[in-house]
Amino acid sequence: MSGSETDDPTEDTESATEEELAEFVKQSSTRTAVLTQLVSGPATPGEIAEDRSVTIDGNTASTSSTSSTSAESAAEQLQEKGLVELLETDELRVFSLTALGESVLFSLNQQDEV
């Protein structure tokens, strides 16, 4: 591996602009819903899915487990970009919005994209 290659996900967030991150979020209604939900505070994927009626491909998911799985997948994608962080407790995976995530969401709100 050369000096410019890395497996560190924070490296991607340092090189990605806020505009690029906003575009990444907008490409998925589920990512947008997850980011929006986390403004209210940390939540588990199940809570995110339940509170926001997470949509998949434009349709509201028909079962909680499908929604929860989709919400968790979207949260993990957002985590890779540094927009949310994972707070693990004994048996729960809880996601929380980062400062960068708040900034990107604010930018999306200014553009009326959320």
Side-chain angles (χ1 to χ4, degrees):
M1 179 173 352
S2 72
S4 64
E5 295 176 25
T6 181
D7 289 331
D8 184 1
T10 58
E11 191 69 29
D12 290 337
T13 60
E14 291 172 2
S15 62
T17 66
E18 192 172 292
E19 186 175 299
E20 290 169 332
L21 292 170
E23 226 10 81
F24 170 76
V25 172
K26 287 190 314 188
Q27 291 172 354
S28 165
S29 61
T30 305
R31 286 193 293 256
T32 303
V34 169
L35 204 62
T36 302
Q37 175 59 30
L38 291 177
V39 168
S40 301
T44 66
E47 292 168 337
I48 294 167
E50 182 178 298
D51 292 344
R52 290 291 299 168
S53 298
V54 172
T55 57
I56 303 166
D57 298 328
N59 298 311
T60 301
S62 59
T63 66
S64 179
S65 62
T66 302
S67 295
S68 180
T69 301
S70 296
E72 184 165 18
S73 176
E76 288 170 349
Q77 293 166 9
L78 293 167
Q79 179 189 7
E80 289 173 9
K81 298 291 186 180
L83 302 173
V84 302
E85 62 184 339
L86 175 62
L87 310 170
E88 291 190 84
T89 62
D90 292 335
E91 295 184 21
L92 292 176
R93 292 172 50 88
V94 178
F95 290 91
S96 177
L97 196 60
T98 64
L100 179 58
E102 280 186 50
S103 180
V104 167
L105 188 58
F106 177 79
S107 176
L108 289 170
N109 282 327
Q110 292 297 315
Q111 300 169 19
D112 289 328
E113 295 290 340
V114 179

